[in-house]
Amino acid sequence: MSNTALAIVLAGLAAMAALPFLDTGFWLALAISIAQYAVLATAWAMFSGPTRYVSLATAAFFGIGAYTVAVLGEVLPWPVVLLVAGVIGAVLSLLVGFATLRLSGVYFVVFTFGLAELIRQLVTWFEVNVTRSMGRYVFVEITQAQIYWQLLALFGALLALGTWLARSRLGFALHVIGEDETVARHVGIDTARAKVALFALSSVFMALVGAVMAPRWTYLDPAIAFNPSISFTVLIMALLGGTRSLLGPLLGVVPLALLFEVLTARFPNHFSILVGIVFLLVVYAVPQGVSGLLARLRRGAPA
Amino acid sequence: MEAAAATLVTGLVLGGMYALVAIGLTLQYGVARIMNLAYGEFVVAAAFAALWLFTSLGVSPLIGLALVMPLAFLANWAIYRIFLTPLVRRAPNAGALETDSILATFGLLFVVQGVMLALFGGAYQSYSYLSIPVEIFGATITANRLVALGFAAVIGGGLWFLLTHTRTGTAVRAVAVNPAAAPLVGIDMARTAALAFAAGGAVVASGGVLVSTFLTFNAAMGVVFTMKALVVVIMGGVGNLMGCLVAGLLLGLTETLVASFVDPGLTLAATYGLFLTILIARPAGLFGVAAR
């Protein structure tokens, strides 16, 4: 994105910050849901788009953020809680990254596939054996409007970071890695380090979203915080939107967030089947995402 | 001493099941090159089929095995032909196929899981079949576990025989070793891949039926089976049956040891610990030769 485009988008986000003054009920809740997925899907695509490593661990990082708030929310001031959530997310992503990203993509996929479940088990074990209490109440003075503003701010920061990244050496290195990892290594790119760095950046944003969203629940236990459907939802949104451009995932987030809202309300018992079918449709029908489709149409090639 | 013997036998039985389930996955991933994330759902689906046959029709799980395996073979063959062949055709290279198959089977996972939730609900299920205590090596164990282990050995051994002593089996192994060279010696890649995928599906269904005789299970458990099967396949080296057996037994023993002597809540942590150790020490698997 150019500087002007970024400025326009950021101005748009600033204008959207006025929403809570118009409505604090249904529309704000919907906007929070969209903003949450916008940050998560964009952060997911920032790593998985250029590197083509499919991360299935969004729920793990989201859960870490949320659970940090459940544990520390009452003890520390809010900015410090956010900072701690981000740091824990970064440390975990560095561990996962250094263990798996030196190797081929399969190891990474397999490792991230069960990561949320692993951390859920570990946290549960810790709570049962050490603190002897399962589940926590979240008592922090954060309104819905404040959650919404924080999400918008995160999204703005993420877009600015993405724009900077696209022009940086790191961004270029990742682009080369995505095209051909062997070539990247031959031109002297430290591929493992570049991948780990980006994975950590993307994971920090996911952990922060989890932390920001935590006050929406009044009660949190590991099963709620590490809900695996988040990994799935974020993945399908980013894929539908397309991962090639920074604003691509947003094109998938908005329609799918609305669709899922309808599906959960009308077919709560068959949600999983329907979402799975939507997912398959996206993988088969729009492999490059909506933004890829648009780019192809603009070039005039037959779609 | 008795506790140790019991742990050992239980661990071996569990490990045998993991090995069997992983052998199916190694066929699908090593030969058909499909990274099947919906794999564990088929374990659970077969377990539910066995439960339904036993509780509503009174069919013994061992006869159920003879019904479920051919059905699973056909179902997986159809899945490969209808859903996965378009992805194979569309993929420009092996990496792209891997990504596409991960995504497609991830979607499939939620569809199959959703169907099972709608049919059977989310509660834990089990049924009582041959739960007679038997004494072996000083340890007491239920007969159903021993029967399951015996059948797993027969199915695994039979598959090994087919792969090493028949013409088709040799073709399957050739594709696993070198997918680029296999067509040069006249191997029909599409047919062999579909066959391997279907055979893998039949093996995993047999694993599901056998597991259902002694474990409680629910509709959401598939992911854990997939995870463990993937870890075993990678530990043993992709496409390596012997590796699956050793790695499966190792995982079963580790888990049972951790569950009985440390905490049952830490079994997945044990799986990950083992996986991490292998990743760091031998990234190509226990029997792997070249690391990339």
Side-chain angles (χ1 to χ4, degrees), chain B residues 73-134:
Chain B
F73 185 91
L74 287 178
N76 276 277
W77 189 82
I79 288 173
Y80 185 81
R81 277 293 156 121
I82 297 166
F83 282 111
L84 301 171
T85 310
L87 296 182
V88 177
R89 294 227 177 92
R90 161 174 116 184
N93 56 48
L97 176 60
E98 197 166 285
T99 308
D100 268 357
S101 65
I102 286 167
L103 297 174
T105 55
F106 196 48
L108 191 63
L109 184 168
F110 281 82
V111 175
V112 178
Q113 198 180 74
V115 170
M116 288 192 299
L117 274 173
L119 288 179
F120 298 99
Y124 277 90
Q125 307 269 359
S126 67
Y127 57 94
S128 175
Y129 172 74
L130 272 186
S131 45
I132 317 153
V134 178

Side-chain angles (χ1 to χ4, degrees), chain B residues 16-17 20 23 62 65 69 146-162 203 206 210 241 245:
Chain B
M17 292 301 125
L20 182 67
I23 282 171
L62 300 179
L65 205 58
M69 278 181 75
L146 287 182
V147 170
L149 186 64
F151 269 83
V154 168
I155 293 167
L159 193 70
W160 176 81
F161 181 83
L162 286 177
V203 172
S206 75
L210 294 176
L241 291 196
L245 182 62

Side-chain angles (χ1 to χ4, degrees), chain B residues 129-244:
Chain B
Y129 172 74
L130 272 186
S131 45
I132 317 153
V134 178
E135 195 151 316
I136 181 168
F137 305 128
T140 313
I141 186 169
T142 51
N144 49 26
R145 287 180 191 253
L146 287 182
V147 170
L149 186 64
F151 269 83
V154 168
I155 293 167
L159 193 70
W160 176 81
F161 181 83
L162 286 177
L163 283 175
T164 47
H165 287 76
T166 64
R167 214 178 149 75
T168 314
T170 310
V172 168
R173 282 187 299 133
V175 175
V177 172
N178 192 336
L184 300 180
V185 292
I187 291 171
D188 183 346
M189 284 288 282
R191 192 179 148 269
T192 311
L195 186 71
F197 192 85
V203 172
V204 68
S206 75
V209 172
L210 294 176
V211 161
S212 76
T213 60
F214 64 92
L215 277 188
T216 50
F217 51 94
N218 76 352
M221 257 175 79
V223 172
V224 177
F225 276 112
T226 310
M227 183 67 213
K228 286 175 182 167
L230 284 168
V231 168
V232 170
V233 165
I234 286 174
M235 260 170 36
V238 176
N240 186 338
L241 291 196
M242 213 40 167
C244 269

